[in-house]
Amino acid sequence: MRFKPFEWNKDQLHEALIKVITLDIAPSIKKELLTILIWKIGEYEIENTDSGSWYSKKKGGKKYVMRYRSAAAKDLEGDNGLNHEHVYTKAWLIKELLNAKNDTRIISEIEGKIIPCIVTKKEHKILSDNDRNAKKEERILHGWDRYKNAGIRVWDTREKRWLREAAP
């Protein structure tokens, strides 16, 4: 997905999320619209991240300026082997949003779990492989537990500290 400058505010994104969930349209179209909104909500973080030296005008630019970064990705810039990862997988977020129907409290709770984290491509592969294996074994992990299980430490660029929630 190509990065475009952000134009919406958080309230508009929340309202759009609720409207899409309640639309009476084909499930495939609803899932595609939710995928776009998950990206936009994640990109909102870009405009609200004090990331210091991590902003890069190199290839990739702001796509990789996020609040959370793995230890291995912490000092890398541009798209230098980086991947924009979702702490709670997009598949899980979409499933939960669709199950929420029109319960705005639950939708808001799930929306709060749309958390981007920048990892290396190698770490992204580890997370994806672990997710696939966990699914086979019916022991699926969500959120920061995925990172703990993969042994990935995460840096919070806003708080300037390592996350305990994601500590292996």
mmCIF file with all atom_site columns, all heavy atoms in Angstrom, residues 86-93 95-96 113 127 131 134 139-149 165:
data_model
loop_
_atom_site.group_PDB
_atom_site.id
_atom_site.type_symbol
_atom_site.label_atom_id
_atom_site.label_alt_id
_atom_site.label_comp_id
_atom_site.label_asym_id
_atom_site.label_entity_id
_atom_site.label_seq_id
_atom_site.pdbx_PDB_ins_code
_atom_site.Cartn_x
_atom_site.Cartn_y
_atom_site.Cartn_z
_atom_site.occupancy
_atom_site.B_iso_or_equiv
_atom_site.pdbx_formal_charge
_atom_site.auth_seq_id
_atom_site.auth_comp_id
_atom_site.auth_asym_id
_atom_site.auth_atom_id
_atom_site.pdbx_PDB_model_num
ATOM 1   N N   . HIS A 1 86  ? 1.625   -5.360  12.471 1.00 0.00 ? 86  HIS A N   1
ATOM 2   C CA  . HIS A 1 86  ? 0.485   -5.062  13.346 1.00 0.00 ? 86  HIS A CA  1
ATOM 3   C C   . HIS A 1 86  ? 0.600   -5.958  14.572 1.00 0.00 ? 86  HIS A C   1
ATOM 4   O O   . HIS A 1 86  ? 0.642   -7.181  14.445 1.00 0.00 ? 86  HIS A O   1
ATOM 5   C CB  . HIS A 1 86  ? -0.836  -5.306  12.620 1.00 0.00 ? 86  HIS A CB  1
ATOM 6   C CG  . HIS A 1 86  ? -1.028  -4.382  11.465 1.00 0.00 ? 86  HIS A CG  1
ATOM 7   N ND1 . HIS A 1 86  ? -1.673  -3.177  11.586 1.00 0.00 ? 86  HIS A ND1 1
ATOM 8   C CD2 . HIS A 1 86  ? -0.623  -4.459  10.179 1.00 0.00 ? 86  HIS A CD2 1
ATOM 9   C CE1 . HIS A 1 86  ? -1.675  -2.559  10.421 1.00 0.00 ? 86  HIS A CE1 1
ATOM 10  N NE2 . HIS A 1 86  ? -1.034  -3.313  9.550  1.00 0.00 ? 86  HIS A NE2 1
ATOM 11  N N   . VAL A 1 87  ? 0.670   -5.350  15.761 1.00 0.00 ? 87  VAL A N   1
ATOM 12  C CA  . VAL A 1 87  ? 0.841   -6.105  17.004 1.00 0.00 ? 87  VAL A CA  1
ATOM 13  C C   . VAL A 1 87  ? -0.281  -7.135  17.146 1.00 0.00 ? 87  VAL A C   1
ATOM 14  O O   . VAL A 1 87  ? -0.033  -8.301  17.434 1.00 0.00 ? 87  VAL A O   1
ATOM 15  C CB  . VAL A 1 87  ? 0.907   -5.154  18.219 1.00 0.00 ? 87  VAL A CB  1
ATOM 16  C CG1 . VAL A 1 87  ? 0.953   -5.936  19.522 1.00 0.00 ? 87  VAL A CG1 1
ATOM 17  C CG2 . VAL A 1 87  ? 2.113   -4.228  18.092 1.00 0.00 ? 87  VAL A CG2 1
ATOM 18  N N   . TYR A 1 88  ? -1.514  -6.704  16.953 1.00 0.00 ? 88  TYR A N   1
ATOM 19  C CA  . TYR A 1 88  ? -2.638  -7.625  16.816 1.00 0.00 ? 88  TYR A CA  1
ATOM 20  C C   . TYR A 1 88  ? -2.809  -7.783  15.310 1.00 0.00 ? 88  TYR A C   1
ATOM 21  O O   . TYR A 1 88  ? -2.939  -6.779  14.599 1.00 0.00 ? 88  TYR A O   1
ATOM 22  C CB  . TYR A 1 88  ? -3.919  -7.047  17.436 1.00 0.00 ? 88  TYR A CB  1
ATOM 23  C CG  . TYR A 1 88  ? -3.885  -7.030  18.935 1.00 0.00 ? 88  TYR A CG  1
ATOM 24  C CD1 . TYR A 1 88  ? -3.275  -5.995  19.627 1.00 0.00 ? 88  TYR A CD1 1
ATOM 25  C CD2 . TYR A 1 88  ? -4.456  -8.062  19.677 1.00 0.00 ? 88  TYR A CD2 1
ATOM 26  C CE1 . TYR A 1 88  ? -3.229  -5.977  21.013 1.00 0.00 ? 88  TYR A CE1 1
ATOM 27  C CE2 . TYR A 1 88  ? -4.420  -8.052  21.059 1.00 0.00 ? 88  TYR A CE2 1
ATOM 28  C CZ  . TYR A 1 88  ? -3.805  -7.010  21.722 1.00 0.00 ? 88  TYR A CZ  1
ATOM 29  O OH  . TYR A 1 88  ? -3.756  -6.999  23.096 1.00 0.00 ? 88  TYR A OH  1
ATOM 30  N N   . THR A 1 89  ? -2.810  -9.003  14.819 1.00 0.00 ? 89  THR A N   1
ATOM 31  C CA  . THR A 1 89  ? -2.829  -9.206  13.368 1.00 0.00 ? 89  THR A CA  1
ATOM 32  C C   . THR A 1 89  ? -4.078  -8.600  12.735 1.00 0.00 ? 89  THR A C   1
ATOM 33  O O   . THR A 1 89  ? -5.139  -8.524  13.370 1.00 0.00 ? 89  THR A O   1
ATOM 34  C CB  . THR A 1 89  ? -2.770  -10.705 13.008 1.00 0.00 ? 89  THR A CB  1
ATOM 35  O OG1 . THR A 1 89  ? -3.951  -11.349 13.473 1.00 0.00 ? 89  THR A OG1 1
ATOM 36  C CG2 . THR A 1 89  ? -1.525  -11.368 13.601 1.00 0.00 ? 89  THR A CG2 1
ATOM 37  N N   . LYS A 1 90  ? -3.940  -8.187  11.478 1.00 0.00 ? 90  LYS A N   1
ATOM 38  C CA  . LYS A 1 90  ? -5.082  -7.630  10.751 1.00 0.00 ? 90  LYS A CA  1
ATOM 39  C C   . LYS A 1 90  ? -6.224  -8.639  10.689 1.00 0.00 ? 90  LYS A C   1
ATOM 40  O O   . LYS A 1 90  ? -7.384  -8.265  10.843 1.00 0.00 ? 90  LYS A O   1
ATOM 41  C CB  . LYS A 1 90  ? -4.680  -7.212  9.337  1.00 0.00 ? 90  LYS A CB  1
ATOM 42  C CG  . LYS A 1 90  ? -3.915  -5.910  9.291  1.00 0.00 ? 90  LYS A CG  1
ATOM 43  C CD  . LYS A 1 90  ? -3.660  -5.487  7.859  1.00 0.00 ? 90  LYS A CD  1
ATOM 44  C CE  . LYS A 1 90  ? -2.661  -6.450  7.254  1.00 0.00 ? 90  LYS A CE  1
ATOM 45  N NZ  . LYS A 1 90  ? -2.274  -6.215  5.898  1.00 0.00 ? 90  LYS A NZ  1
ATOM 46  N N   . ALA A 1 91  ? -5.891  -9.914  10.489 1.00 0.00 ? 91  ALA A N   1
ATOM 47  C CA  . ALA A 1 91  ? -6.938  -10.953 10.415 1.00 0.00 ? 91  ALA A CA  1
ATOM 48  C C   . ALA A 1 91  ? -7.729  -11.005 11.723 1.00 0.00 ? 91  ALA A C   1
ATOM 49  O O   . ALA A 1 91  ? -8.967  -11.079 11.717 1.00 0.00 ? 91  ALA A O   1
ATOM 50  C CB  . ALA A 1 91  ? -6.319  -12.312 10.109 1.00 0.00 ? 91  ALA A CB  1
ATOM 51  N N   . TRP A 1 92  ? -7.018  -10.954 12.859 1.00 0.00 ? 92  TRP A N   1
ATOM 52  C CA  . TRP A 1 92  ? -7.693  -10.991 14.158 1.00 0.00 ? 92  TRP A CA  1
ATOM 53  C C   . TRP A 1 92  ? -8.540  -9.738  14.355 1.00 0.00 ? 92  TRP A C   1
ATOM 54  O O   . TRP A 1 92  ? -9.688  -9.819  14.811 1.00 0.00 ? 92  TRP A O   1
ATOM 55  C CB  . TRP A 1 92  ? -6.670  -11.127 15.292 1.00 0.00 ? 92  TRP A CB  1
ATOM 56  C CG  . TRP A 1 92  ? -7.302  -11.230 16.637 1.00 0.00 ? 92  TRP A CG  1
ATOM 57  C CD1 . TRP A 1 92  ? -7.751  -12.368 17.245 1.00 0.00 ? 92  TRP A CD1 1
ATOM 58  C CD2 . TRP A 1 92  ? -7.590  -10.149 17.535 1.00 0.00 ? 92  TRP A CD2 1
ATOM 59  N NE1 . TRP A 1 92  ? -8.290  -12.065 18.465 1.00 0.00 ? 92  TRP A NE1 1
ATOM 60  C CE2 . TRP A 1 92  ? -8.209  -10.710 18.675 1.00 0.00 ? 92  TRP A CE2 1
ATOM 61  C CE3 . TRP A 1 92  ? -7.386  -8.777  17.501 1.00 0.00 ? 92  TRP A CE3 1
ATOM 62  C CZ2 . TRP A 1 92  ? -8.617  -9.943  19.757 1.00 0.00 ? 92  TRP A CZ2 1
ATOM 63  C CZ3 . TRP A 1 92  ? -7.802  -8.012  18.580 1.00 0.00 ? 92  TRP A CZ3 1
ATOM 64  C CH2 . TRP A 1 92  ? -8.404  -8.603  19.690 1.00 0.00 ? 92  TRP A CH2 1
ATOM 65  N N   . LEU A 1 93  ? -7.981  -8.572  14.028 1.00 0.00 ? 93  LEU A N   1
ATOM 66  C CA  . LEU A 1 93  ? -8.714  -7.313  14.186 1.00 0.00 ? 93  LEU A CA  1
ATOM 67  C C   . LEU A 1 93  ? -9.997  -7.318  13.365 1.00 0.00 ? 93  LEU A C   1
ATOM 68  O O   . LEU A 1 93  ? -11.073 -6.954  13.868 1.00 0.00 ? 93  LEU A O   1
ATOM 69  C CB  . LEU A 1 93  ? -7.836  -6.130  13.768 1.00 0.00 ? 93  LEU A CB  1
ATOM 70  C CG  . LEU A 1 93  ? -6.647  -5.799  14.679 1.00 0.00 ? 93  LEU A CG  1
ATOM 71  C CD1 . LEU A 1 93  ? -5.673  -4.879  13.964 1.00 0.00 ? 93  LEU A CD1 1
ATOM 72  C CD2 . LEU A 1 93  ? -7.123  -5.192  15.986 1.00 0.00 ? 93  LEU A CD2 1
ATOM 73  N N   . LYS A 1 95  ? -11.708 -9.922  12.197 1.00 0.00 ? 95  LYS A N   1
ATOM 74  C CA  . LYS A 1 95  ? -12.648 -10.909 12.755 1.00 0.00 ? 95  LYS A CA  1
ATOM 75  C C   . LYS A 1 95  ? -13.365 -10.340 13.979 1.00 0.00 ? 95  LYS A C   1
ATOM 76  O O   . LYS A 1 95  ? -14.594 -10.429 14.100 1.00 0.00 ? 95  LYS A O   1
ATOM 77  C CB  . LYS A 1 95  ? -11.901 -12.199 13.120 1.00 0.00 ? 95  LYS A CB  1
ATOM 78  C CG  . LYS A 1 95  ? -12.811 -13.305 13.657 1.00 0.00 ? 95  LYS A CG  1
ATOM 79  C CD  . LYS A 1 95  ? -12.013 -14.514 14.085 1.00 0.00 ? 95  LYS A CD  1
ATOM 80  C CE  . LYS A 1 95  ? -11.415 -14.211 15.386 1.00 0.00 ? 95  LYS A CE  1
ATOM 81  N NZ  . LYS A 1 95  ? -11.326 -14.979 16.479 1.00 0.00 ? 95  LYS A NZ  1
ATOM 82  N N   . GLU A 1 96  ? -12.604 -9.721  14.870 1.00 0.00 ? 96  GLU A N   1
ATOM 83  C CA  . GLU A 1 96  ? -13.197 -9.161  16.091 1.00 0.00 ? 96  GLU A CA  1
ATOM 84  C C   . GLU A 1 96  ? -14.118 -7.978  15.784 1.00 0.00 ? 96  GLU A C   1
ATOM 85  O O   . GLU A 1 96  ? -15.173 -7.839  16.398 1.00 0.00 ? 96  GLU A O   1
ATOM 86  C CB  . GLU A 1 96  ? -12.096 -8.736  17.067 1.00 0.00 ? 96  GLU A CB  1
ATOM 87  C CG  . GLU A 1 96  ? -11.281 -9.902  17.620 1.00 0.00 ? 96  GLU A CG  1
ATOM 88  C CD  . GLU A 1 96  ? -12.123 -10.891 18.414 1.00 0.00 ? 96  GLU A CD  1
ATOM 89  O OE1 . GLU A 1 96  ? -12.872 -10.459 19.305 1.00 0.00 ? 96  GLU A OE1 1
ATOM 90  O OE2 . GLU A 1 96  ? -12.025 -12.104 18.135 1.00 0.00 ? 96  GLU A OE2 1
ATOM 91  N N   . LYS A 1 113 ? -6.588  -1.571  19.873 1.00 0.00 ? 113 LYS A N   1
ATOM 92  C CA  . LYS A 1 113 ? -5.602  -2.626  19.636 1.00 0.00 ? 113 LYS A CA  1
ATOM 93  C C   . LYS A 1 113 ? -5.003  -2.558  18.237 1.00 0.00 ? 113 LYS A C   1
ATOM 94  O O   . LYS A 1 113 ? -4.249  -3.440  17.844 1.00 0.00 ? 113 LYS A O   1
ATOM 95  C CB  . LYS A 1 113 ? -6.246  -3.990  19.894 1.00 0.00 ? 113 LYS A CB  1
ATOM 96  C CG  . LYS A 1 113 ? -6.602  -4.164  21.363 1.00 0.00 ? 113 LYS A CG  1
ATOM 97  C CD  . LYS A 1 113 ? -7.253  -5.486  21.641 1.00 0.00 ? 113 LYS A CD  1
ATOM 98  C CE  . LYS A 1 113 ? -7.551  -5.568  23.142 1.00 0.00 ? 113 LYS A CE  1
ATOM 99  N NZ  . LYS A 1 113 ? -8.144  -6.816  23.508 1.00 0.00 ? 113 LYS A NZ  1
ATOM 100 N N   . LEU A 1 127 ? 7.516   -13.837 13.361 1.00 0.00 ? 127 LEU A N   1
ATOM 101 C CA  . LEU A 1 127 ? 6.164   -13.630 13.887 1.00 0.00 ? 127 LEU A CA  1
ATOM 102 C C   . LEU A 1 127 ? 5.121   -14.366 13.042 1.00 0.00 ? 127 LEU A C   1
ATOM 103 O O   . LEU A 1 127 ? 4.237   -15.042 13.579 1.00 0.00 ? 127 LEU A O   1
ATOM 104 C CB  . LEU A 1 127 ? 5.832   -12.135 13.945 1.00 0.00 ? 127 LEU A CB  1
ATOM 105 C CG  . LEU A 1 127 ? 6.532   -11.343 15.032 1.00 0.00 ? 127 LEU A CG  1
ATOM 106 C CD1 . LEU A 1 127 ? 6.455   -9.843  14.744 1.00 0.00 ? 127 LEU A CD1 1
ATOM 107 C CD2 . LEU A 1 127 ? 5.941   -11.654 16.405 1.00 0.00 ? 127 LEU A CD2 1
ATOM 108 N N   . ASP A 1 131 ? 2.803   -17.473 14.170 1.00 0.00 ? 131 ASP A N   1
ATOM 109 C CA  . ASP A 1 131 ? 1.337   -17.387 14.070 1.00 0.00 ? 131 ASP A CA  1
ATOM 110 C C   . ASP A 1 131 ? 0.784   -18.609 13.338 1.00 0.00 ? 131 ASP A C   1
ATOM 111 O O   . ASP A 1 131 ? -0.206  -19.207 13.770 1.00 0.00 ? 131 ASP A O   1
ATOM 112 C CB  . ASP A 1 131 ? 0.907   -16.120 13.325 1.00 0.00 ? 131 ASP A CB  1
ATOM 113 C CG  . ASP A 1 131 ? 1.161   -14.846 14.112 1.00 0.00 ? 131 ASP A CG  1
ATOM 114 O OD1 . ASP A 1 131 ? 1.372   -14.915 15.345 1.00 0.00 ? 131 ASP A OD1 1
ATOM 115 O OD2 . ASP A 1 131 ? 1.141   -13.770 13.490 1.00 0.00 ? 131 ASP A OD2 1
ATOM 116 N N   . ALA A 1 134 ? 1.189   -21.703 15.563 1.00 0.00 ? 134 ALA A N   1
ATOM 117 C CA  . ALA A 1 134 ? 0.270   -21.625 16.700 1.00 0.00 ? 134 ALA A CA  1
ATOM 118 C C   . ALA A 1 134 ? -1.156  -21.960 16.261 1.00 0.00 ? 134 ALA A C   1
ATOM 119 O O   . ALA A 1 134 ? -1.901  -22.617 16.991 1.00 0.00 ? 134 ALA A O   1
ATOM 120 C CB  . ALA A 1 134 ? 0.317   -20.244 17.335 1.00 0.00 ? 134 ALA A CB  1
ATOM 121 N N   . ARG A 1 139 ? -3.119  -22.793 19.661 1.00 0.00 ? 139 ARG A N   1
ATOM 122 C CA  . ARG A 1 139 ? -2.646  -22.013 20.815 1.00 0.00 ? 139 ARG A CA  1
ATOM 123 C C   . ARG A 1 139 ? -2.251  -20.617 20.342 1.00 0.00 ? 139 ARG A C   1
ATOM 124 O O   . ARG A 1 139 ? -1.137  -20.160 20.540 1.00 0.00 ? 139 ARG A O   1
ATOM 125 C CB  . ARG A 1 139 ? -1.489  -22.700 21.542 1.00 0.00 ? 139 ARG A CB  1
ATOM 126 C CG  . ARG A 1 139 ? -0.308  -23.032 20.660 1.00 0.00 ? 139 ARG A CG  1
ATOM 127 C CD  . ARG A 1 139 ? 0.894   -23.502 21.475 1.00 0.00 ? 139 ARG A CD  1
ATOM 128 N NE  . ARG A 1 139 ? 2.042   -23.620 20.606 1.00 0.00 ? 139 ARG A NE  1
ATOM 129 C CZ  . ARG A 1 139 ? 2.815   -22.614 20.224 1.00 0.00 ? 139 ARG A CZ  1
ATOM 130 N NH1 . ARG A 1 139 ? 2.586   -21.416 20.641 1.00 0.00 ? 139 ARG A NH1 1
ATOM 131 N NH2 . ARG A 1 139 ? 3.851   -22.815 19.425 1.00 0.00 ? 139 ARG A NH2 1
ATOM 132 N N   . ILE A 1 140 ? -3.172  -19.967 19.706 1.00 0.00 ? 140 ILE A N   1
ATOM 133 C CA  . ILE A 1 140 ? -2.922  -18.672 19.086 1.00 0.00 ? 140 ILE A CA  1
ATOM 134 C C   . ILE A 1 140 ? -2.642  -17.594 20.138 1.00 0.00 ? 140 ILE A C   1
ATOM 135 O O   . ILE A 1 140 ? -3.356  -17.477 21.128 1.00 0.00 ? 140 ILE A O   1
ATOM 136 C CB  . ILE A 1 140 ? -4.112  -18.265 18.193 1.00 0.00 ? 140 ILE A CB  1
ATOM 137 C CG1 . ILE A 1 140 ? -4.274  -19.310 17.083 1.00 0.00 ? 140 ILE A CG1 1
ATOM 138 C CG2 . ILE A 1 140 ? -3.910  -16.878 17.608 1.00 0.00 ? 140 ILE A CG2 1
ATOM 139 C CD1 . ILE A 1 140 ? -5.523  -19.149 16.269 1.00 0.00 ? 140 ILE A CD1 1
ATOM 140 N N   . LEU A 1 141 ? -1.595  -16.823 19.887 1.00 0.00 ? 141 LEU A N   1
ATOM 141 C CA  . LEU A 1 141 ? -1.239  -15.705 20.757 1.00 0.00 ? 141 LEU A CA  1
ATOM 142 C C   . LEU A 1 141 ? -1.653  -14.402 20.080 1.00 0.00 ? 141 LEU A C   1
ATOM 143 O O   . LEU A 1 141 ? -1.698  -14.322 18.851 1.00 0.00 ? 141 LEU A O   1
ATOM 144 C CB  . LEU A 1 141 ? 0.270   -15.687 20.998 1.00 0.00 ? 141 LEU A CB  1
ATOM 145 C CG  . LEU A 1 141 ? 0.855   -16.906 21.708 1.00 0.00 ? 141 LEU A CG  1
ATOM 146 C CD1 . LEU A 1 141 ? 2.368   -16.835 21.714 1.00 0.00 ? 141 LEU A CD1 1
ATOM 147 C CD2 . LEU A 1 141 ? 0.324   -17.020 23.118 1.00 0.00 ? 141 LEU A CD2 1
ATOM 148 N N   . HIS A 1 142 ? -1.950  -13.390 20.897 1.00 0.00 ? 142 HIS A N   1
ATOM 149 C CA  . HIS A 1 142 ? -2.356  -12.097 20.363 1.00 0.00 ? 142 HIS A CA  1
ATOM 150 C C   . HIS A 1 142 ? -1.531  -10.985 21.003 1.00 0.00 ? 142 HIS A C   1
ATOM 151 O O   . HIS A 1 142 ? -0.980  -11.140 22.079 1.00 0.00 ? 142 HIS A O   1
ATOM 152 C CB  . HIS A 1 142 ? -3.840  -11.845 20.638 1.00 0.00 ? 142 HIS A CB  1
ATOM 153 C CG  . HIS A 1 142 ? -4.727  -12.868 20.034 1.00 0.00 ? 142 HIS A CG  1
ATOM 154 N ND1 . HIS A 1 142 ? -4.916  -12.987 18.680 1.00 0.00 ? 142 HIS A ND1 1
ATOM 155 C CD2 . HIS A 1 142 ? -5.469  -13.851 20.604 1.00 0.00 ? 142 HIS A CD2 1
ATOM 156 C CE1 . HIS A 1 142 ? -5.731  -13.976 18.447 1.00 0.00 ? 142 HIS A CE1 1
ATOM 157 N NE2 . HIS A 1 142 ? -6.085  -14.525 19.580 1.00 0.00 ? 142 HIS A NE2 1
ATOM 158 N N   . GLY A 1 143 ? -1.486  -9.859  20.323 1.00 0.00 ? 143 GLY A N   1
ATOM 159 C CA  . GLY A 1 143 ? -0.863  -8.670  20.877 1.00 0.00 ? 143 GLY A CA  1
ATOM 160 C C   . GLY A 1 143 ? 0.607   -8.856  21.193 1.00 0.00 ? 143 GLY A C   1
ATOM 161 O O   . GLY A 1 143 ? 1.344   -9.525  20.469 1.00 0.00 ? 143 GLY A O   1
ATOM 162 N N   . TRP A 1 144 ? 1.007   -8.251  22.310 1.00 0.00 ? 144 TRP A N   1
ATOM 163 C CA  . TRP A 1 144 ? 2.419   -8.275  22.691 1.00 0.00 ? 144 TRP A CA  1
ATOM 164 C C   . TRP A 1 144 ? 2.897   -9.677  23.050 1.00 0.00 ? 144 TRP A C   1
ATOM 165 O O   . TRP A 1 144 ? 4.103   -9.942  23.028 1.00 0.00 ? 144 TRP A O   1
ATOM 166 C CB  . TRP A 1 144 ? 2.674   -7.307  23.844 1.00 0.00 ? 144 TRP A CB  1
ATOM 167 C CG  . TRP A 1 144 ? 2.465   -5.867  23.465 1.00 0.00 ? 144 TRP A CG  1
ATOM 168 C CD1 . TRP A 1 144 ? 1.561   -4.996  23.998 1.00 0.00 ? 144 TRP A CD1 1
ATOM 169 C CD2 . TRP A 1 144 ? 3.173   -5.115  22.469 1.00 0.00 ? 144 TRP A CD2 1
ATOM 170 N NE1 . TRP A 1 144 ? 1.660   -3.766  23.396 1.00 0.00 ? 144 TRP A NE1 1
ATOM 171 C CE2 . TRP A 1 144 ? 2.643   -3.810  22.440 1.00 0.00 ? 144 TRP A CE2 1
ATOM 172 C CE3 . TRP A 1 144 ? 4.211   -5.431  21.582 1.00 0.00 ? 144 TRP A CE3 1
ATOM 173 C CZ2 . TRP A 1 144 ? 3.107   -2.819  21.583 1.00 0.00 ? 144 TRP A CZ2 1
ATOM 174 C CZ3 . TRP A 1 144 ? 4.667   -4.439  20.717 1.00 0.00 ? 144 TRP A CZ3 1
ATOM 175 C CH2 . TRP A 1 144 ? 4.119   -3.163  20.735 1.00 0.00 ? 144 TRP A CH2 1
ATOM 176 N N   . ASP A 1 145 ? 1.977   -10.602 23.364 1.00 0.00 ? 145 ASP A N   1
ATOM 177 C CA  . ASP A 1 145 ? 2.379   -11.989 23.643 1.00 0.00 ? 145 ASP A CA  1
ATOM 178 C C   . ASP A 1 145 ? 3.055   -12.622 22.426 1.00 0.00 ? 145 ASP A C   1
ATOM 179 O O   . ASP A 1 145 ? 3.921   -13.482 22.571 1.00 0.00 ? 145 ASP A O   1
ATOM 180 C CB  . ASP A 1 145 ? 1.175   -12.838 24.066 1.00 0.00 ? 145 ASP A CB  1
ATOM 181 C CG  . ASP A 1 145 ? 0.686   -12.482 25.453 1.00 0.00 ? 145 ASP A CG  1
ATOM 182 O OD1 . ASP A 1 145 ? 1.466   -11.901 26.245 1.00 0.00 ? 145 ASP A OD1 1
ATOM 183 O OD2 . ASP A 1 145 ? -0.486  -12.777 25.759 1.00 0.00 ? 145 ASP A OD2 1
ATOM 184 N N   . ARG A 1 146 ? 2.661   -12.195 21.222 1.00 0.00 ? 146 ARG A N   1
ATOM 185 C CA  . ARG A 1 146 ? 3.314   -12.685 20.001 1.00 0.00 ? 146 ARG A CA  1
ATOM 186 C C   . ARG A 1 146 ? 4.790   -12.302 20.002 1.00 0.00 ? 146 ARG A C   1
ATOM 187 O O   . ARG A 1 146 ? 5.656   -13.078 19.610 1.00 0.00 ? 146 ARG A O   1
ATOM 188 C CB  . ARG A 1 146 ? 2.647   -12.092 18.750 1.00 0.00 ? 146 ARG A CB  1
ATOM 189 C CG  . ARG A 1 146 ? 1.223   -12.490 18.549 1.00 0.00 ? 146 ARG A CG  1
ATOM 190 C CD  . ARG A 1 146 ? 0.554   -11.737 17.401 1.00 0.00 ? 146 ARG A CD  1
ATOM 191 N NE  . ARG A 1 146 ? 1.243   -11.954 16.140 1.00 0.00 ? 146 ARG A NE  1
ATOM 192 C CZ  . ARG A 1 146 ? 1.692   -10.972 15.350 1.00 0.00 ? 146 ARG A CZ  1
ATOM 193 N NH1 . ARG A 1 146 ? 1.537   -9.702  15.682 1.00 0.00 ? 146 ARG A NH1 1
ATOM 194 N NH2 . ARG A 1 146 ? 2.306   -11.249 14.218 1.00 0.00 ? 146 ARG A NH2 1
ATOM 195 N N   . TYR A 1 147 ? 5.072   -11.084 20.451 1.00 0.00 ? 147 TYR A N   1
ATOM 196 C CA  . TYR A 1 147 ? 6.449   -10.578 20.468 1.00 0.00 ? 147 TYR A CA  1
ATOM 197 C C   . TYR A 1 147 ? 7.266   -11.274 21.564 1.00 0.00 ? 147 TYR A C   1
ATOM 198 O O   . TYR A 1 147 ? 8.424   -11.628 21.343 1.00 0.00 ? 147 TYR A O   1
ATOM 199 C CB  . TYR A 1 147 ? 6.445   -9.059  20.664 1.00 0.00 ? 147 TYR A CB  1
ATOM 200 C CG  . TYR A 1 147 ? 5.976   -8.340  19.416 1.00 0.00 ? 147 TYR A CG  1
ATOM 201 C CD1 . TYR A 1 147 ? 4.645   -8.391  19.006 1.00 0.00 ? 147 TYR A CD1 1
ATOM 202 C CD2 . TYR A 1 147 ? 6.867   -7.618  18.636 1.00 0.00 ? 147 TYR A CD2 1
ATOM 203 C CE1 . TYR A 1 147 ? 4.218   -7.756  17.857 1.00 0.00 ? 147 TYR A CE1 1
ATOM 204 C CE2 . TYR A 1 147 ? 6.451   -6.976  17.479 1.00 0.00 ? 147 TYR A CE2 1
ATOM 205 C CZ  . TYR A 1 147 ? 5.122   -7.053  17.098 1.00 0.00 ? 147 TYR A CZ  1
ATOM 206 O OH  . TYR A 1 147 ? 4.709   -6.432  15.949 1.00 0.00 ? 147 TYR A OH  1
ATOM 207 N N   . LYS A 1 148 ? 6.651   -11.452 22.733 1.00 0.00 ? 148 LYS A N   1
ATOM 208 C CA  . LYS A 1 148 ? 7.331   -12.181 23.816 1.00 0.00 ? 148 LYS A CA  1
ATOM 209 C C   . LYS A 1 148 ? 7.722   -13.568 23.342 1.00 0.00 ? 148 LYS A C   1
ATOM 210 O O   . LYS A 1 148 ? 8.857   -14.005 23.529 1.00 0.00 ? 148 LYS A O   1
ATOM 211 C CB  . LYS A 1 148 ? 6.394   -12.338 25.019 1.00 0.00 ? 148 LYS A CB  1
ATOM 212 C CG  . LYS A 1 148 ? 6.323   -11.177 25.928 1.00 0.00 ? 148 LYS A CG  1
ATOM 213 C CD  . LYS A 1 148 ? 5.480   -11.568 27.132 1.00 0.00 ? 148 LYS A CD  1
ATOM 214 C CE  . LYS A 1 148 ? 4.818   -10.365 27.712 1.00 0.00 ? 148 LYS A CE  1
ATOM 215 N NZ  . LYS A 1 148 ? 3.911   -10.675 28.803 1.00 0.00 ? 148 LYS A NZ  1
ATOM 216 N N   . ASN A 1 149 ? 6.763   -14.263 22.743 1.00 0.00 ? 149 ASN A N   1
ATOM 217 C CA  . ASN A 1 149 ? 6.983   -15.627 22.270 1.00 0.00 ? 149 ASN A CA  1
ATOM 218 C C   . ASN A 1 149 ? 8.087   -15.687 21.218 1.00 0.00 ? 149 ASN A C   1
ATOM 219 O O   . ASN A 1 149 ? 8.841   -16.657 21.163 1.00 0.00 ? 149 ASN A O   1
ATOM 220 C CB  . ASN A 1 149 ? 5.671   -16.195 21.709 1.00 0.00 ? 149 ASN A CB  1
ATOM 221 C CG  . ASN A 1 149 ? 5.800   -17.635 21.297 1.00 0.00 ? 149 ASN A CG  1
ATOM 222 O OD1 . ASN A 1 149 ? 6.159   -18.490 22.082 1.00 0.00 ? 149 ASN A OD1 1
ATOM 223 N ND2 . ASN A 1 149 ? 5.505   -17.909 20.036 1.00 0.00 ? 149 ASN A ND2 1
ATOM 224 N N   . GLU A 1 165 ? 5.582   -5.165  28.510 1.00 0.00 ? 165 GLU A N   1
ATOM 225 C CA  . GLU A 1 165 ? 4.540   -6.033  27.944 1.00 0.00 ? 165 GLU A CA  1
ATOM 226 C C   . GLU A 1 165 ? 5.087   -6.948  26.849 1.00 0.00 ? 165 GLU A C   1
ATOM 227 O O   . GLU A 1 165 ? 4.549   -8.017  26.612 1.00 0.00 ? 165 GLU A O   1
ATOM 228 C CB  . GLU A 1 165 ? 3.396   -5.203  27.338 1.00 0.00 ? 165 GLU A CB  1
ATOM 229 C CG  . GLU A 1 165 ? 2.691   -4.296  28.320 1.00 0.00 ? 165 GLU A CG  1
ATOM 230 C CD  . GLU A 1 165 ? 3.324   -2.903  28.391 1.00 0.00 ? 165 GLU A CD  1
ATOM 231 O OE1 . GLU A 1 165 ? 4.561   -2.779  28.320 1.00 0.00 ? 165 GLU A OE1 1
ATOM 232 O OE2 . GLU A 1 165 ? 2.558   -1.944  28.548 1.00 0.00 ? 165 GLU A OE2 1
#
